[in-house]
Amino acid sequence: MKEFDRDLRPEDSLDPLKQYYHELVDDSSVQRKNDLEHLEVALLIIDIQYLDAARGYGVFKDVATSGIPVEQQEYYFDTLNSYVLPNVQRLLKTFRDKKIEVIHTRIQAMTQDGRDRSNGHKRLGLLAAPGSKEADFLPEVAPQGDEIVVNKTASGVFSSTNLNYILQNLRVNELIVAGVYTNECVETTIRDACDLGYLVTMVEDACTTVTPELQQGTINSLKNRYASVLTTDEIVNRFKGVEKQDVNPDALSLNKGIIL
């Protein structure tokens, strides 16, 4: 009888790696306690790319046919360039200096013709094909090193990507959010993150949209309900002197007083 034809004994069905894995995995109460003592934080930068944040490309390729009135375009780019981009740069420097996780999202299809896009993006004609200029990040706030980039084809990043899975693997419980547009992708992401159990802080002067009314209206609807709303100065000051191992609920307390 060939070896693989013989009758199997009960002990033959045991996992030969069981003991090996058991020794690798520390399931002690001490390990679990240490995991719970640290609240991990990540900076999430949303969609600052050529598709929706640069004149002459994507949404703003043609001023006359963009669908956004010229006055609103001027407000958007004035706020984007005068304080949003500089503030995002400050946030990036702060988090990078402290070696705290930075994650970037962008609108980018998986295919050149964008057939994998959401129906919403197809209807709006939003397409950033792989390798296109529209898919590129603005250079002043582009990812560095091995910072995580999450591609999406919908307004919210959680509904259309595996970001929640990634954050769980990183043991991230709190998100500091900046980017564009405040009343669209930023707001959708913040609401979804809150519903998923994350503590969220919106950096109000590191986000913008096409009118001051939409900007303020979004802040009003999110503040103290779905997120804390703070300034770049407040975020930078909170992280002064904080090392990664020190980032915990008591050290930051970014979301005290949220009412759901």
Side-chain angles (χ1 to χ4, degrees), residues 29-40 171 173 244-252:
S29 59
V30 173
Q31 180 67 38
R32 290 195 300 272
K33 182 174 183 292
N34 288 338
D35 289 344
L36 294 173
E37 283 179 346
H38 294 83
L39 178 65
E40 295 292 342
R171 296 182 182 177
N173 296 308
K244 183 172 182 180
Q245 63 268 24
D246 296 327
V247 178
N248 57 54
D250 294 328
L252 294 179

Side-chain angles (χ1 to χ4, degrees), residues 62-110:
D62 187 332
V63 173
T65 62
S66 71
I68 302 174
V70 173
E71 181 181 356
Q72 295 184 10
Q73 294 185 46
E74 291 303 318
Y75 171 82
Y76 175 66
F77 282 107
D78 180 56
T79 55
L80 182 70
N81 293 316
S82 63
Y83 63 82
V84 171
L85 290 177
N87 283 338
V88 170
Q89 289 178 308
R90 292 178 61 205
L91 292 170
L92 287 169
K93 184 179 187 309
T94 297
F95 276 69
R96 287 166 177 165
D97 287 349
K98 299 300 180 182
K99 295 181 171 52
I100 302 175
E101 202 73 49
V102 175
I103 300 173
H104 307 258
T105 78
R106 67 176 166 187
I107 297 170
Q108 179 180 283
M110 299 172 67

Side-chain angles (χ1 to χ4, degrees), residues 83-257:
Y83 63 82
V84 171
L85 290 177
N87 283 338
V88 170
Q89 289 178 308
R90 292 178 61 205
L91 292 170
L92 287 169
K93 184 179 187 309
T94 297
F95 276 69
R96 287 166 177 165
D97 287 349
K98 299 300 180 182
K99 295 181 171 52
I100 302 175
E101 202 73 49
V102 175
I103 300 173
H104 307 258
T105 78
R106 67 176 166 187
I107 297 170
Q108 179 180 283
M110 299 172 67
T111 56
Q112 290 297 317
D113 63 5
R115 62 186 181 275
D116 59 291
R117 291 172 297 165
S118 66
N119 286 335
H121 278 202
K122 289 176 182 175
R123 184 175 65 252
L124 295 172
L126 290 176
L127 173 60
S132 67
K133 189 67 174 179
E134 282 74 15
D136 285 346
F137 293 97
L138 298 191
E140 56 265 53
V141 293
Q144 294 183 5
D146 65 348
E147 290 174 355
I148 293 171
V149 174
V150 180
N151 300 323
K152 65 188 180 75
T153 56
S155 180
V157 66
F158 285 100
S159 63
S160 58
T161 75
N162 66 339
L163 179 59
N164 187 44
Y165 173 77
I166 293 169
L167 293 174
Q168 289 177 350
N169 290 344
L170 295 172
R171 296 182 182 177
V172 166
N173 296 308
E174 183 162 358
L175 295 173
I176 312 299
V177 181
V180 298
Y181 303 135
T182 309
N183 62 308
E184 295 183 15
C185 297
V186 172
E187 180 177 11
T188 302
T189 296
I190 287 174
R191 287 175 178 268
D192 287 347
C194 180
D195 284 349
L196 287 168
Y198 294 95
L199 297 175
V200 190
T201 295
M202 172 187 171
V203 191
E204 62 178 320
D205 56 358
C207 301
T208 192
T209 186
V210 295
T211 71
E213 292 81 11
L214 285 172
Q215 175 79 3
Q216 191 58 51
T218 302
I219 291 172
N220 292 344
S221 68
L222 294 176
K223 188 173 184 179
N224 295 331
R225 290 174 175 81
Y226 296 94
S228 291
V229 178
L230 300 176
T231 65
T232 300
D233 283 345
E234 289 174 311
I235 295 295
V236 170
N237 288 336
R238 286 178 184 272
F239 281 91
K240 279 184 178 178
V242 175
E243 300 300 333
K244 183 172 182 180
Q245 63 268 24
D246 296 327
V247 178
N248 57 54
D250 294 328
L252 294 179
S253 302
L254 293 177
N255 287 270
K256 287 185 178 179

